[in-house]
Amino acid sequence: MSKDILAAISHLPQLTGTLRHQAQRLAYFADTDGIVQRSYASLANDRHVHISTAKRLITRLIKENIIEKTVRRLSRTHCARNVYRF
């Protein structure tokens, strides 16, 4: 599935530079349904950027309707997990 997502991303004119690279890295981690479960910290570490930069790029991808974000709460630990869908 990530190959299909990567092919689609390469044809989007609104994605340039850093934003395109972030979308490609997310697509790399996508499962067969196009779903990615990665923390901001792991996304920032993967790209060697600050966590605020990773958050800003994800927000831009959401505004461009490239991905959807949902927050899944874990009841026992009271933690939240970000889930992204292409």
Side-chain angles (χ1 to χ4, degrees):
M1 179 58 134
S2 64
K3 290 181 185 180
D4 297 332
I5 296 170
L6 285 170
I9 288 171
S10 67
H11 297 294
L12 295 175
Q14 68 265 37
L15 293 180
T16 58
T18 306
L19 191 60
R20 177 184 299 268
H21 192 252
Q22 183 67 52
Q24 289 170 338
R25 291 307 297 166
L26 275 176
Y28 177 76
F29 294 113
D31 65 5
T32 56
D33 296 325
I35 296 173
V36 181
Q37 296 184 28
R38 302 282 288 187
S39 67
Y40 287 127
S42 66
L43 291 172
N45 190 31
D46 178 57
R47 298 260 341 273
H48 304 289
V49 296
H50 194 271
I51 193 166
S52 62
T53 303
K55 288 179 183 181
R56 186 172 54 250
L57 290 170
I58 293 296
T59 302
R60 287 180 56 196
L61 288 171
I62 292 168
K63 287 181 182 178
E64 293 286 338
N65 292 321
I66 307 299
I67 61 172
E68 297 174 347
K69 175 185 167 187
T70 56
V71 178
R72 186 175 296 163
R73 301 242 179 245
L74 304 175
S75 60
R76 288 187 211 167
T77 60
H78 302 289
C79 295
R81 175 178 290 171
N82 294 330
V83 179
Y84 309 102
R85 180 181 307 221
F86 281 90

